Amino acid sequence: MKIFTTKKDLQQHLLQSGALNKTIGFVPTMGALHQGHLSLIELAQQYSDEIVCSIFVNPSQFNDPADLEKYPRTIAADINLLEQVNCDVLFNPPVSEIYDGNEHWHLNLGELENLLEGKFRPGHYQGVTQVVYKLFNIVKPDTAFFGQKDYQQFLVISKMVELLNMPVKLVMCPIKRDSDGLAMSSRNIHLTQTDRQHALVLSKTLNWVKDNFEKGNISRLKKEAELMISAEPDVELDYFEIANGDTLHPADDTSIKTVALVAAKVGATRLIDNVMLADGR
Ligand code: PAF
């Protein structure tokens, strides 16, 4: 695997791939890689000739400096994993390579920016779109791959691509779960064994809602789900929503594309998860 830390070196390499007419698949990450990330690389390999993975812990998407500080950084292990799955290129720039210290970014992301995650993490999606825009412009991928776990992030990035007319196809990849059902996340590193047990209420509740979606009344399901999660010790619910899968507005109709999304603090760690309830087709 080739590793680049500067835009110039990466672009020089990619120009050669372009000249060879290779299609580029891009998997942007913040590192602390797990099986979920590797599944993105593996899917990318089915679509593209050359795979670029980026590892960059993006300061502009953290609204809490303590959260940025404690975000796991495991670069040696990450490189090892990427080599195991035959990733072609790793882009691992320092902050100064991406930001020149004099940045202004604001995109009109509409209501998507302020709902659910947006409400709990003000400014987060401006930071995400800012860095993904920069990374897309550096890598110029044909296709970029993102996990379904960050469902709202996928919608926001799709909106940015549409607004700015960017020539990249986006692919959403299924959530990877541990055998107990916990959605894989870089943040799981911070869970104690007890936290992990408590955290299972999130996937269990999502599954329960999925199993009961056809027969259930949406507002009753949502209330039951909130009660189930709130009853779990050391789990502080931020939101549980059954939402329109395109707009993330609360769903009022089981025939549309529908997703259930949850965010909660488990001990000191904030987790998110979701499940598709209906594809609206
Ligand atoms: O999903 C992530 O890991 C990050 O939000 C992303 C897309 C790499 C942007 O920093």
Side-chain angles (χ1 to χ4, degrees), residues 60-75:
S60 79
Q61 72 188 75
F62 286 83
N63 47 333
D64 173 3
D67 192 24
L68 169 62
E69 179 74 26
K70 86 168 199 200
Y71 199 83
R73 289 158 172 92
T74 58
I75 190 68

Side-chain angles (χ1 to χ4, degrees), residues 28-30 56 58 61 124 128 131-132 146 150 153 157:
T29 80
M30 298 208 296
F56 179 68
N58 171 39
Q61 72 188 75
H124 173 63
V128 168
V131 77
V132 172
F146 296 89
D150 293 289
Q153 168 171 279
I157 294 171

Side-chain angles (χ1 to χ4, degrees), residues 62-214:
F62 286 83
N63 47 333
D64 173 3
D67 192 24
L68 169 62
E69 179 74 26
K70 86 168 199 200
Y71 199 83
R73 289 158 172 92
T74 58
I75 190 68
D78 292 348
I79 291 174
N80 220 330
L81 286 172
L82 290 173
E83 279 175 339
Q84 279 174 33
V85 293
N86 297 318
C87 179
D88 301 295
V89 173
L90 167 62
F91 181 46
N92 180 215
V95 173
S96 58
E97 191 64 20
I98 301 295
Y99 293 109
D100 67 9
N102 189 17
E103 304 273 339
H104 298 285
W105 175 265
H106 184 83
L107 208 55
N108 185 357
L109 296 166
E111 293 187 48
L112 267 184
E113 182 177 356
N114 302 316
L115 292 165
L116 305 177
E117 279 307 283
K119 195 161 148 195
F120 284 87
R121 304 181 71 186
H124 173 63
Y125 289 123
Q126 290 298 334
V128 168
T129 49
Q130 179 181 32
V131 77
V132 172
Y133 174 77
K134 283 170 180 274
L135 292 169
F136 280 179
N137 275 329
I138 296 167
V139 177
K140 302 204 183 328
D142 296 280
T143 315
F145 299 81
F146 296 89
Q148 184 194 320
K149 194 171 77 65
D150 293 289
Y151 189 91
Q152 189 169 1
Q153 168 171 279
F154 188 86
L155 294 185
V156 163
I157 294 171
S158 304
K159 172 106 184 168
M160 174 189 77
V161 163
E162 185 193 310
L163 284 174
L164 304 180
N165 213 357
M166 300 187 88
V168 54
K169 178 172 187 263
L170 304 180
V171 175
M172 186 196 277
C173 310
I175 297 177
K176 281 275 166 194
R177 297 183 180 279
D178 285 326
S179 56
D180 55 8
L182 185 69
M184 290 186 185
S185 162
S186 302
R187 293 176 189 271
N188 291 354
I189 284 180
H190 297 309
L191 296 172
T192 64
Q193 272 203 350
T194 324
D195 289 342
R196 250 200 94 90
Q197 284 312 308
H198 294 153
L200 296 182
V201 73
L202 304 182
S203 55
K204 281 187 184 147
T205 304
L206 287 169
N207 280 334
W208 179 84
V209 168
K210 187 174 169 66
D211 290 344
N212 290 282
F213 183 62
E214 295 289 329

